[in-house]
Amino acid sequence: MTAQQKLLVFAGSYAELEGSGVYAYTFNEETGVLTLQDEFSGLKNPTFLNVDVKNRKLYSIGETTSATGAKVGEAAAFEIDPVKGTFTLLNRAENVGATTCHIQRDPSDRYLIVVSYHGGMVGLVSLTEDGRIGELLDVKQHEGKGAHPERQDRPHPHSSFFSPDGRFLFVQDLGLDLIRVYTIDDSKGQLVLHGETKTHAGAGPRHLTFHPNGKFAFVINEVDSSITSFAYDVEAGKLTELESVPTLPSDFTGENTTAEIAISGDGAYVYGSNRGHDSIVVFAVDAATGKLSLVEHVSAEGEHPRHFALTPNGEHLLVANRDTNNIVTFKVDKASGRLTYTGQQVTVSKPVCVQPFLLFCIKFDRGWVAE
């Protein structure tokens, strides 16, 4: 019997129904090369993905049309074959009454959470015992507006992330300069408002990541191109702002919006993407204070780096550049946090999300099987 780890990379993109929108690659960490294994067509704009490694499931958002002709969100569930590096559609179902931009799964694998930027909503969707998309259980509608007259004229939830212990769900509302905190009432199948944190005016909070030590969280702000550090109270589920730092060089004068944020596995470095400056910014983290200090800006080797992710061992960073139709691989110097372009990239139509995960296989006499 032989065990093997296979590093698969799943990508979501803007796509029409007739074109491929979700992709699976194997990733060679020695060479930085991505090799296409599978692709799926039939989903419109499957722009964000969530991967359940334990149960070998892949979840994607999508857009569809309701019976009344309105654009609404849907979610699709896939079964992953880690041996072949392929995935097969299990089912798909409508959810909230507007298009969605982000999908999250709770730690118990009982729910999906979808957020609608255009509809200003957060939706709670059930998962069946075999990991298929269930019913829409609850919707929370956000109300109000922020400081920016164009970008923040109404609510724009952009993402949801669970606290490290899974007790609290943090929803970043770009339109309201607000991070809204929910819990899930299992008995009622509802999202329950727990609290909220205001960011500085005109920030536009988009995505969040927690420090591995659980004491800090970092939010990338799309509207004013900044990252805010927060102290995190584990028991209260509360964020307290520490400081905000710009994601752009001081001499940059063009238009820019930020997108993704990630932290290294050891908590030493935070990474963020700039769309306009078209770069990845690297910050060192002070583990005692949660504050950030600039390390470098690196070209994204493409335009509009909508999303990026670190590989599980932290040795590579993969960037999805939407406007230049490429996914690019970088080598990470784990000691300094610095990035070096490997020279390797693949062409993908309008990539928006990239998710690398290790899946396990075991070789018996009868061949490889998933573990």
Side-chain angles (χ1 to χ4, degrees), residues 48-50 101-107 112-115 122 157-173 179-184 191 205-211 217-220 232 237 239 259-263 306-308 353 355 357:
F48 214 87
L49 309 175
N50 181 273
C101 64
H102 193 269
I103 187 168
Q104 185 61 266
R105 176 176 41 85
D106 84 302
L112 295 175
I113 298 88
V114 294
V115 296
V122 185
H158 213 301
S159 65
S160 68
F161 293 92
F162 281 92
S163 58
D165 61 8
R167 294 169 58 209
F168 304 104
L169 177 71
F170 291 78
V171 176
Q172 288 57 242
D173 195 315
I179 301 169
R180 191 156 279 168
V181 188
Y182 293 96
T183 58
I184 299 177
L191 293 167
R206 179 182 169 103
H207 282 196
L208 169 148
T209 189
F210 279 94
H211 194 284
F218 306 92
V219 173
I220 194 160
Y232 179 56
L239 298 172
E260 179 62 321
I261 186 169
I263 191 167
R306 177 70 175 265
H307 189 259
F308 66 87
C353 179
Q355 300 278 13
F357 285 91

Side-chain angles (χ1 to χ4, degrees), residues 185-224:
D185 185 329
D186 292 318
S187 64
K188 297 180 179 178
Q190 292 181 352
L191 293 167
V192 178
L193 182 63
H194 174 76
E196 56 186 37
T197 299
K198 290 289 290 183
T199 64
H200 58 273
R206 179 182 169 103
H207 282 196
L208 169 148
T209 189
F210 279 94
H211 194 284
N213 67 15
K215 297 179 181 179
F216 307 108
F218 306 92
V219 173
I220 194 160
N221 302 305
E222 177 176 332
V223 177
D224 75 348

